[in-house]
């Protein structure tokens, strides 16, 4: 606490003058400007492509065409993934008249009012639409595939990837959409021709089935794109990274390695998944009450581990959460999970079962809103009421942005008296480790660089800091200084057999998507931020056209600004002020000018009394003969409704497939 005197509140500050001075109007305008700048800053962090960007890009494209500077070179363009972890990954590879895209993801970490996630801006891709020959996917996490319903209908081309990955891609479409699918079998080392490129998938371990590194043979040489990976020698499904094929592919000569940098700051290696098996089996075996476990819903190996442990402990398993059901359904259909007959029971049957005979696998381990575990922790779950003696095991860490809700869930659960074991606190909870990351740490990143011996190197999938660590690591592992390059979102790189260099920028940005899957213009988000800052005030005047007199007391509507009942004196003074102002100015100036002056006047008045600058909307209804024409609200709504895309509106059901830790 400090002794600093408090600023007077609205209630105890006396109005100082009946006519808001120009000084107050100016201060109100300055505050409004500051609020707008703050809103700009927030929306600019996810900025949309401006007309100026587009114009600059047209100039650059013409220049490139004139100088033929890209001829004989591979052009790689980053449209997402280079600003942070789990950030709408999308990279374009172009040579001559052919282009392929690797991954097209969404960014679930966007925290703007009413926004569910962001996708990339596709202005650049639309400019080379005629070249796009295929979309290649490394794996089925949402930050790699979530944008497909927005992109593929606009720029159609075949989708290429492993079986499970393409199954996930298909699930993103709300309605049946005719996808041309080309399935890559990593075990057969299938190679397929896409335009002038040859594509192969190499099996790799991560945290969702059927992950791939992508080998892209181009006219200038071989490129290896790692996607997300770690080098787990003992994954539960016994499908380790195909190190032999990786070595073969590299031995034939690797021009460029593009490797993920999520954990480029973390020393050592990620422990093998097998290390969890013992602690999970042990923990489940020693519980006597009901058990609830949550993990990333796409981490099918982890789900398998829990099912095996439940079966070993003589428990039946119920599955709770749409995301989990969606992933398990696909995994069962494609044979990626084995569930003994009679193991699964319905969540409704739990009431009849003995406490010691049930286990529930549920969503919510990442702190996702409305997930099953969150509803249980707040007592809002329709079928399950947690009680003392229950055990909750959280076998995952929160996704970026969900750390706070993850903590709140923990607090709520312990308040209920349940025994809580989490991946973050397992040492003090008294059990073995409950989670390992799906992303390679430095020793594994190093192993890939040393094994593949690339001529050139570009770190991908993280912010500049981690990519820089990875760049330095590559240089320490034999990549020649100057041959490891940092490229940001919106930048292009030109590569040939002998050189690699940055090649200017293309339009880059985000498109914001709401809960229904609709695009939301950034102006709308901008207004929402402003309204969230100081609220909104609407003043409604009914004016006699001839005299300029108000025919009724002005209506004043306030939302999020002040509590009207506590501010009656100020509002009554504002009504008097509005009457006076209308009489003074209505017949003196034309209608638009009147509205503008009225808004400034109200802004000045409110700022003088509250030091706040809400969005002010004056509405003027003119009645009677003569004078100006009747009119409506001053500020036309900018809330153009976003265009609905064929996206699965319940994208939240796949949030569990966003594993960035
Ligand atoms: Zn991933």
């Amino acid at each position: 606490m400090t002794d600093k005197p408090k600023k007077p509140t609205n209630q105890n500050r006396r109005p100082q003058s009946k006519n808001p001075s120009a000084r107050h109007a100016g201060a109100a305008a300055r505050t409004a400007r500051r609020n707008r700048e703050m809103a700009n800053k927030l929306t600019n962090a996810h900025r949309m492509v401006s007309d100026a960007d587009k114009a600059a890009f047209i100039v650059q494209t013409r220049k490139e065409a004139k100088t033929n500077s890209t001829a004989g070179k591979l052009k790689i363009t980053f449209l997402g993934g280079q600003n942070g972890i789990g950030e709408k990954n999308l990279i374009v590879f172009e040579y001559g008249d052919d282009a392929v895209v690797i991954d097209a993801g969404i960014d679930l970490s966007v925290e703007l009012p009413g926004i569910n996630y962001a996708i990339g801006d596709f202005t650049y891709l639309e400019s080379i639409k005629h070249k796009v020959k295929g979309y290649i996917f490394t794996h089925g996490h949402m930050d790699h595939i979530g944008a497909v319903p927005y992109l593929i209908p606009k720029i159609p081309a075949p989708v290429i990837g492993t079986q499970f990955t393409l199954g996930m891609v298909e699930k993103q479409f709300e309605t049946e959409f005719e996808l041309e699918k080309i399935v890559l079998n990593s075990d057969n080392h299938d190679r397929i021709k896409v335009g002038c490129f040859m594509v192969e998938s190499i099996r790799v371990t991560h945290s969702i089935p059927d992950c791939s590194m992508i080998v892209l043979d181009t006219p200038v040489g071989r490129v290896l794109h790692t996607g997300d990976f770690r080098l787990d020698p003992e994954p539960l499904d016994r499908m380790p990274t195909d190190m032999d094929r990786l070595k073969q592919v590299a031995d034939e000569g690797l021009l460029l390695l593009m490797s993920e940098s999520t954990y480029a700051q973390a020393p050592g290696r990620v422990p093998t998944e097998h290390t969890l098996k013992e602690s999970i089996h042990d923990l489940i075996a020693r519980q006597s009450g009901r058990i609830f476990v949550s993990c990333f819903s796409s981490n099918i190996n982890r789900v398998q581990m829990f099912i095996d442990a439940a079966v070993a402990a003589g428990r039946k398993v119920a599955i709770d959460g749409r995301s989990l059901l969606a992933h398990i359904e696909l995994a069962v259909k494609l044979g990626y999970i084995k569930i003994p007959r009679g193991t699964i029971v319905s969540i409704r049957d739990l009431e009849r079962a003995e406490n010691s005979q049930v286990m529930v696998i549920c969503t919510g381990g990442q702190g996702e809103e409305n997930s099953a575990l969150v509803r249980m922790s707040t007592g809002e779950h329709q079928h399950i009421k947690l009680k003392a003696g229950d055990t909750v095991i959280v076998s995952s860490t929160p996704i970026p942005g969900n750390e706070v809700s993850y903590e709140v869930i923990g607090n709520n659960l312990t308040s209920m008296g349940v025994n809580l074991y989490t991946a973050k606190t397992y040492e003090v909870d008294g059990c073995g480790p409950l989670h390992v990351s799906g992303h390679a740490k430095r020793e594994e990143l190093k192993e890939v660089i040393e094994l593949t011996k690339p001529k050139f190197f570009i770190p991908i999938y993280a912010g500049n800091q981690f990519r820089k660590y990875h760049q330095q690591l590559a240089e320490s592992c034999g990549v020649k200084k100057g041959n490891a390059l940092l490229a940001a979102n919106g930048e292009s790189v030109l590569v040939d057999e002998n050189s690699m260099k940055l090649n200017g920028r293309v339009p880059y940005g985000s498109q914001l998507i709401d809960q229904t899957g609709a695009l939301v213009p950034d102006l709308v988000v901008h207004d929402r931020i402003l309204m969230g800052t100081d609220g909104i005030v609407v003043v409604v005047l009914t004016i006699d056209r001839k005299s300029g007199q108000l025919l009724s007391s002005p209506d004043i509507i306030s939302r999020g600004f002040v509590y009207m009942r506590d501010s009656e004196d100020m509002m009554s003074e504002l009504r008097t002020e509005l009457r006076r102002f209308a009489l003074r100015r209505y017949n003196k100036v034309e209608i638009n000018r009147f509205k503008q002056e009225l808004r400034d006047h109200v802004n000045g008045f409110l700022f003088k009394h509250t030091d706040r600058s809400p969005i002010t909307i004056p509405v003027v209804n003119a009645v009677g003969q003569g004078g100006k024409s009747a009119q409506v609200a001053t500020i036309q709504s900018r809330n153009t409704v976003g265009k609905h895309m064929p996206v699965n509106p319940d994208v939240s059901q796949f949030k569990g497939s966003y594993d960035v830790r």
Side-chain angles (χ1 to χ4, degrees):
M1 293 291 284
T2 69
D3 295 321
K4 202 174 161 188
K6 278 186 183 161
K7 210 170 187 181
T9 61
N10 304 334
Q11 289 78 42
N12 56 24
R13 287 183 78 198
R14 276 188 61 77
Q16 294 154 10
S17 152
K18 297 209 165 178
N19 288 317
S21 64
R23 186 166 59 83
H24 286 117
R30 282 194 295 280
T31 303
R33 194 167 56 239
R34 265 203 307 279
N35 288 347
R36 278 199 303 276
E37 280 165 6
M38 183 272 298
N40 279 340
K41 213 165 160 187
L42 283 171
T43 46
N44 278 350
H46 306 279
R47 88 188 173 92
M48 298 182 81
V49 172
S50 67
D51 289 343
D53 288 336
K54 288 179 187 168
F57 173 61
I58 290 167
V59 172
Q60 185 183 326
T61 310
R62 282 191 190 132
K63 199 171 132 196
E64 269 178 20
K66 212 169 167 185
T67 56
N68 212 14
S69 59
T70 58
K73 295 187 195 308
L74 175 70
K75 183 176 177 183
I76 305 172
T77 304
F78 297 85
L79 293 183
Q82 306 294 83
N83 268 359
I85 292 164
E87 188 250 350
K88 55 181 174 31
N89 306 304
L90 196 159
I91 305 176
V92 189
F93 296 79
E94 260 173 282
Y95 184 91
D97 281 333
D98 295 319
V100 288
V101 176
I102 295 190
D103 290 339
I106 61 176
D107 182 355
L108 278 160
S109 67
V110 180
E111 291 203 20
L112 291 171
I115 299 303
N116 198 13
Y117 56 86
I119 59 172
D121 183 281
F122 304 135
T123 304
Y124 179 68
L125 270 175
E126 286 185 80
S127 77
I128 57 158
K129 187 176 177 176
H130 60 288
K131 294 187 184 182
V132 178
K133 301 292 190 294
Y135 296 95
I136 304 162
F137 297 97
T138 57
H139 65 290
H141 279 152
M142 292 300 286
D143 49 329
H144 295 260
I145 64 164
V148 290
Y150 302 91
L151 178 57
I152 297 178
K154 272 186 171 178
I155 308 172
V159 292
I160 301 150
T162 55
Q163 199 181 31
F164 190 86
T165 304
L166 292 191
M168 286 297 297
V169 166
E170 245 179 337
K171 274 183 177 284
Q172 304 310 308
F173 289 88
E174 183 184 25
T175 49
E176 210 145 298
F177 181 79
E178 202 59 40
L179 273 178
E180 191 185 336
K181 291 191 291 180
I182 301 173
V183 179
L184 287 172
N185 183 323
S186 306
D187 293 325
N188 296 348
H189 309 313
D190 286 349
R191 294 170 65 75
I192 54 143
K193 202 167 177 349
V194 184
C196 64
F197 304 103
M198 195 65 92
V199 183
E200 180 184 333
S201 147
I202 296 180
R203 194 180 63 227
V204 73
T205 46
H206 177 38
S207 53
I208 183 171
D210 238 359
C211 298
S212 306
M213 288 191 182
I214 302 296
V215 181
L216 191 68
D217 282 334
T218 78
V220 300
R222 178 163 285 176
V223 177
L224 178 68
H225 179 298
T226 65
D228 286 350
F229 78 98
R230 64 173 168 162
L231 302 179
D232 187 348
E234 289 186 308
L236 195 76
D237 59 5
R238 296 197 173 82
M239 304 283 266
T241 301
D242 191 346
M243 298 301 280
D244 292 342
R245 184 60 188 155
L246 192 58
K247 187 167 179 340
Q248 274 172 13
V249 157
D251 284 349
E252 289 163 17
L254 183 61
L255 181 71
L256 168 63
L257 172 65
M258 301 170 74
S259 184
E260 78 134 321
S261 315
T262 307
Y263 266 154
Q265 85 291 5
R269 305 180 80 94
V270 179
T272 172
E273 201 172 39
H274 243 81
T275 56
L276 304 180
K277 198 174 167 183
E278 200 184 319
S279 48
I280 285 173
H281 274 250
D282 173 59
L283 186 55
I284 286 172
R286 63 184 154 98
Q287 305 306 317
S288 54
R290 300 186 300 177
I291 302 177
F292 300 84
V293 297
S294 71
C295 61
F296 297 126
S297 56
S298 59
N299 194 335
I300 295 300
N301 276 359
R302 195 71 53 81
V303 173
Q304 179 79 68
M305 210 179 267
F306 280 119
I307 287 175
D308 293 348
V311 171
R315 289 177 184 260
K316 302 280 185 198
V317 176
I319 310 290
D320 192 13
R322 278 173 298 175
S323 152
L324 204 52
L325 284 166
H327 285 100
I328 293 175
E329 189 186 270
L330 185 65
V332 167
K333 190 173 140 199
L334 300 176
Y336 288 87
I337 193 167
K338 291 178 186 68
I339 305 175
R341 198 179 286 272
T343 303
I344 301 292
V345 292
S346 139
I347 204 95
R348 287 193 186 87
D349 294 338
L350 289 180
E351 282 172 19
R352 292 197 294 273
E354 287 287 325
N355 289 348
S356 61
Q357 289 178 354
V358 293
M359 185 171 96
V360 178
I361 306 180
C362 58
T363 50
Q366 293 162 276
E368 313 95 297
E369 231 180 301
N370 295 325
S371 59
L373 188 61
V374 170
R375 281 182 281 125
M376 286 179 209
S377 72
T378 53
E380 289 164 359
H381 195 288
Q382 200 183 348
H383 301 293
I384 295 168
K385 298 283 171 248
L386 291 177
K387 55 183 191 245
D390 288 338
T391 294
V392 173
I393 302 169
V394 181
S395 173
S396 53
T397 48
I399 59 170
N402 276 12
E403 288 86 354
V404 173
S405 62
Y406 186 84
E407 207 178 309
V408 170
I409 296 170
N411 288 333
N412 289 343
L413 290 171
T414 46
S415 304
M416 289 172 161
V418 306
N419 310 310
L420 179 64
Y421 299 88
T422 82
K424 284 182 93 175
T425 54
Y426 75 92
E427 284 147 313
V428 286
D429 293 337
C431 63
L434 295 172
H435 178 60
V436 289
S437 165
H439 296 272
K441 292 188 177 175
R442 284 176 76 84
E443 286 305 311
E444 295 157 271
L445 298 175
K446 198 170 151 188
E447 190 176 336
V448 168
I449 300 166
E450 286 176 346
L451 184 76
T452 57
K453 297 182 186 64
K455 181 169 187 176
F456 298 115
F457 179 78
I458 302 178
I460 57 172
Y461 294 172
N464 202 69
Q465 184 190 0
F466 291 2
R467 284 187 287 109
K468 179 127 183 134
Y469 289 140
H470 205 179
Q471 178 192 39
Q472 289 161 346
L473 184 70
E475 287 171 351
S476 73
C477 294
V479 175
K480 218 169 107 189
K481 215 166 172 62
N483 280 6
L485 183 147
L486 291 180
N489 283 335
E491 284 185 330
S492 280
V493 171
L494 286 183
V495 194
D496 63 17
E497 293 86 342
N498 306 309
S499 68
M500 177 169 75
K501 60 173 188 182
L502 288 171
N503 180 56
R505 297 190 61 83
V506 306
Y508 161 74
S510 294
Q511 300 181 80
L512 303 171
I513 311 290
D514 70 13
Q515 297 287 346
T516 70
L519 294 172
V520 184
D522 58 349
L523 272 179
V524 174
V525 180
H526 190 272
D527 281 353
R528 286 179 190 170
I529 296 169
L530 286 181
M531 283 187 251
T533 309
D534 277 341
I536 183 166
V537 171
V538 181
V539 293
V540 185
L541 308 186
T542 303
I543 296 184
D544 179 73
R545 272 207 180 96
K546 213 169 175 184
S547 65
Q549 270 191 338
L550 293 196
L551 296 174
S552 59
S553 178
D555 283 330
I556 303 170
I557 303 156
S558 154
R559 291 288 181 272
F561 170 53
V562 292
Y563 186 47
M564 294 286 267
R565 282 197 189 160
D566 288 346
S567 312
E568 273 172 11
D569 288 351
M570 181 175 72
M571 289 304 160
S572 138
E573 193 183 337
L574 177 57
R575 283 192 187 90
T576 308
E577 192 56 44
L578 289 168
R579 267 189 215 100
R580 226 182 259 140
F581 182 82
L583 206 55
R584 201 169 70 232
R585 298 297 295 163
Y586 183 74
N587 280 331
K588 298 276 173 11
V589 293
E590 58 88 28
I591 184 72
N592 287 329
R593 172 82 186 272
F594 175 74
K595 286 184 285 181
Q596 183 59 49
E597 286 186 8
L598 178 60
R599 190 169 55 207
D600 292 346
H601 198 71
V602 174
N603 280 344
F605 179 93
L606 295 176
F607 188 82
K608 178 183 158 194
H609 289 271
T610 65
D611 281 353
R612 292 177 204 153
S613 186
I615 291 184
T616 307
I617 302 179
V619 178
V620 180
N621 296 312
V623 296
Q625 296 293 313
K628 304 164 180 71
S629 59
Q631 68 96 53
V632 284
T634 297
I635 297 178
Q636 296 298 321
S637 170
R638 295 188 290 189
N639 294 15
T640 47
V641 176
K643 188 168 180 267
H644 279 268
M645 308 299 286
V647 64
N648 190 330
D650 189 14
V651 75
S652 61
Q653 73 172 293
F654 296 111
K655 275 194 173 178
S657 68
Y658 178 72
D659 171 12
V660 295
R661 290 295 170 90

